[in-house]
Amino acid sequence: MADTRVLLNGLLEYHKRLTLHVTQLQQEYQQLEIRWRMFRDVYEGDAADQFKRGWEQTAARFQVYIDEAQHIMKILEERIGFLGQANQQERDLL
């Protein structure tokens, strides 16, 4: 039988790293968004219009990525909770 403590520790580590990744990504994206706004205010013409469309598509995809990562984090939290309870029940039986 598999040791569920190993699985629990792996899920905890994955959740920790995913949380750190998403947090860092959001912070860096915020800085990029600020720079984009400053650039957007002075950039004009056809190239600016094309870049704006490209930026908006990128921003939308980025938001989908963040939303999905946060969804994964919630699932992990749920699974970690269930596995933690199962481990506690197992310890209580011993």
Side-chain angles (χ1 to χ4, degrees), residues 7-88:
L7 177 58
L8 180 59
N9 288 334
L11 290 176
L12 287 167
E13 182 64 23
Y14 179 49
H15 184 270
K16 176 182 154 188
R17 290 180 183 266
L18 184 58
T19 300
L20 179 63
H21 168 69
V22 169
T23 300
Q24 184 177 11
L25 202 56
Q26 286 175 315
Q27 290 171 350
E28 291 175 7
Y29 180 77
Q30 286 174 347
Q31 292 173 3
L32 189 59
E33 180 70 26
I34 290 167
R35 291 185 182 130
W36 158 245
R37 288 183 195 143
M38 292 179 350
F39 181 64
R40 177 190 64 195
D41 292 342
V42 297
Y43 195 37
E44 297 177 354
D46 290 338
D49 293 339
Q50 290 175 2
F51 188 85
K52 180 182 177 189
R53 283 191 297 273
W55 173 259
E56 288 170 349
Q57 290 173 350
T58 299
R61 289 183 188 130
F62 180 81
Q63 190 57 54
V64 168
Y65 178 83
I66 293 296
D67 291 345
E68 291 298 320
Q70 289 174 335
H71 180 72
I72 291 169
M73 288 168 30
K74 287 179 185 175
I75 292 170
L76 280 172
E77 290 166 6
E78 181 181 283
R79 300 297 186 247
I80 288 167
F82 290 146
L83 194 53
Q85 288 175 353
N87 283 347
Q88 184 61 45

